[in-house]
Amino acid sequence: MAGSGGLGGGAGGGQGAGAGQGAALRVPRAPLLLAALVLGAYCLCALPGRCPPAARAPVPAPAPAEPLRAVGPRGAPGLPVASGPGRRRFPQALIVGVKKGGTRALLEFLRLHPDVRALGSEPHFFDRSLMPRTLDGQITLEKTPSYFVTREAPGRIHGMSPDTKLIVVVRNPVTRAISDYAQTLSKTPGLPSFRALAFRHGLGPVDTAWSAVRIGLYAQHLTNWLRLFPLSRFLFVSGERLVSDPAGEVGRVQDFLGLKRVVTDKHFYFNATKGFPCLKKAQGGSRPRCLGKSKGRPHPRVPEAVVRRLRDFYRPFNRRFYQMTGQDFGWD
């Protein structure tokens, strides 16, 4: 028993000494362990979905963007400006059509005017963030020629501003269709012939489903617009006269927009190679400038019989268009 007790006492004494040393060693470990636990819990809570909602600080929602505001005629409130002079506005005037009618030429000519600010690209339905900044007294102008033939466009534009001024550049629909085809052919070699696309079954009925033909039905497209806009909101520009007398046609546009006639004969010269008027001094430059290579490209040869058939087809539509606009464009 004594031996046992001595053994027990020795063990107890050794254990006591070990415990004292161990305690001395474990004292600094406790704060470290606690710190490790706290750090581990923090790291776990940093992972998405690992902490209850109450354990995470709420993330403040981003402030809502200030809504875009429509504007009316010049001088009406526009969008707030973060920096730079002027403000972004809905366009007060639109060149709504037509494709291959001369819309790009008209836009470039008008950009010479100091009171016209125009977007070079075609934003399609008023991306106001792309609009140039304008000062009071300047006009924001946009050109998207697909508007005139898009059924929904009048309603959307009227909803934006029923006072918008609408400019339509029109051209002989037969020549316009051939020009449209030439542009497509330049991008898609191997396209079927103009005749094959314009008519069904040889020289059968004209295929109005083909966009190159359908765009030239100006009277039908205008009917869609006149349901919402009075004729007084429109100016119809002759694509032919824009070539033969650019200063005269641009003068009419400046009058329509309420602008002083700043762009005049002195700004143009006729380029015989392109068969098109060019600018003696482009905006922001000192050199004469013509439109790009895609403008004034040669047209493919179309048989006279095909041209004659198309003239006959368009004639009643053209005459109706003359009556609707009060202008004879001389296409017949």
Side-chain angles (χ1 to χ4, degrees), residues 34 58 86 94 98 102 222 239:
L34 180 60
L94 296 170
V98 297
L222 181 57

Side-chain angles (χ1 to χ4, degrees), residues 10 18 20 40 52 78 81 114-115 121 127 133 153 171 175 191 199 212 214 216 233 261 285 305 307 319 324:
V81 178
D115 288 337
S121 59
D127 187 342
R133 299 182 188 277
R171 182 183 183 187
T175 310
L191 198 68
F199 300 97
R214 186 175 64 254
R233 305 308 304 172
R261 286 201 176 197
V307 173
R319 289 177 177 172
M324 294 172 75

Side-chain angles (χ1 to χ4, degrees), residues 212-228:
V213 170
R214 186 175 64 254
I215 290 172
L217 301 175
Y218 304 141
Q220 290 188 359
H221 303 308
L222 181 57
T223 298
N224 187 38
W225 285 83
L226 291 179
R227 293 188 179 102
L228 291 173

Side-chain angles (χ1 to χ4, degrees), residues 29-47:
R29 289 181 186 174
L32 293 175
L33 181 58
L34 180 60
L37 290 173
V38 171
L39 180 62
Y42 176 83
C43 293
L44 286 174
C45 284
L47 297 175

Side-chain angles (χ1 to χ4, degrees), residues 143-164:
K143 173 192 81 80
T144 302
S146 62
Y147 288 168
F148 190 61
V149 299
T150 301
R151 182 171 294 275
E152 299 81 14
R156 296 190 67 175
I157 294 172
H158 191 273
M160 177 190 76
S161 173
D163 297 323
T164 303

